Amino acid sequence: EKLKERAGYRTVFIGKWHLGFAQKAYAPTRRGFEEFYGILTGGGDHFEHSSTETVAMRGPEYKQRATVMTGYNLWHNDVPVPLEEHQGVHTTTLYTRKTVEYINQMFPSGLPVFLVLAYQAIHAPIQGSPKARQCPTAATGKRRAMCQMIASV
């Protein structure tokens, strides 16, 4: 907020938020970012853009309560991104494209930009992009997928 107010910065967060979303007040667009594109949780399927999370309820009235949630998890600001737009595209590719798009859109304005790119890779689930060709052919299974994820970043 201070960057925007005092120095006129444009602020963008792309990627894995993982800083809370139980209430709207915790969302990136309520925490100083005018633009957000990514997931709200700590991880999720890199191609289907869905997440399964166990959320521990806090406070004296909940004590031991935990809730498991599964669902689509790719957002632009406070709106889900239509699945058909990006299904099958690895998150690293998706976040890189979106970052380049924001840079091309914002930098010509001459205003300063604070842009955070928080890749979801190399986070579980271990799902490499087949387009990452830098990995040795000897690597197989999860080892190859891990190599693909690292090479993509």
Side-chain angles (χ1 to χ4, degrees), residues 45-106:
D45 189 290
H46 293 277
F47 294 100
E48 298 296 322
H49 313 294
S50 62
S51 298
T52 299
E53 297 282 328
T54 301
V55 178
M57 305 299 278
R58 294 192 174 95
E61 65 275 14
Y62 297 113
K63 296 188 182 183
Q64 301 290 325
R65 188 169 168 195
T67 302
V68 177
M69 300 182 301
T70 298
Y72 183 66
N73 187 17
L74 183 60
W75 301 84
H76 178 222
N77 296 329
D78 298 330
V79 180
V81 175
L83 178 60
E84 58 276 1
E85 286 184 21
H86 303 293
Q87 187 173 20
V89 179
H90 196 276
T91 57
T92 301
T93 302
L94 193 58
Y95 298 158
T96 301
R97 285 180 189 164
K98 196 52 122 171
T99 299
V100 170
E101 187 180 306
Y102 276 116
I103 289 170
N104 289 335
Q105 172 190 343
M106 292 181 166

Side-chain angles (χ1 to χ4, degrees), residues 98-136:
K98 196 52 122 171
T99 299
V100 170
E101 187 180 306
Y102 276 116
I103 289 170
N104 289 335
Q105 172 190 343
M106 292 181 166
F107 277 86
S109 72
L111 294 173
V113 176
F114 178 73
L115 187 146
V116 176
L117 171 57
Y119 282 120
Q120 190 178 333
I122 60 169
H123 191 287
I126 305 304
Q127 297 171 309
S129 175
K131 293 180 181 179
R133 303 183 199 287
Q134 299 92 329
C135 299

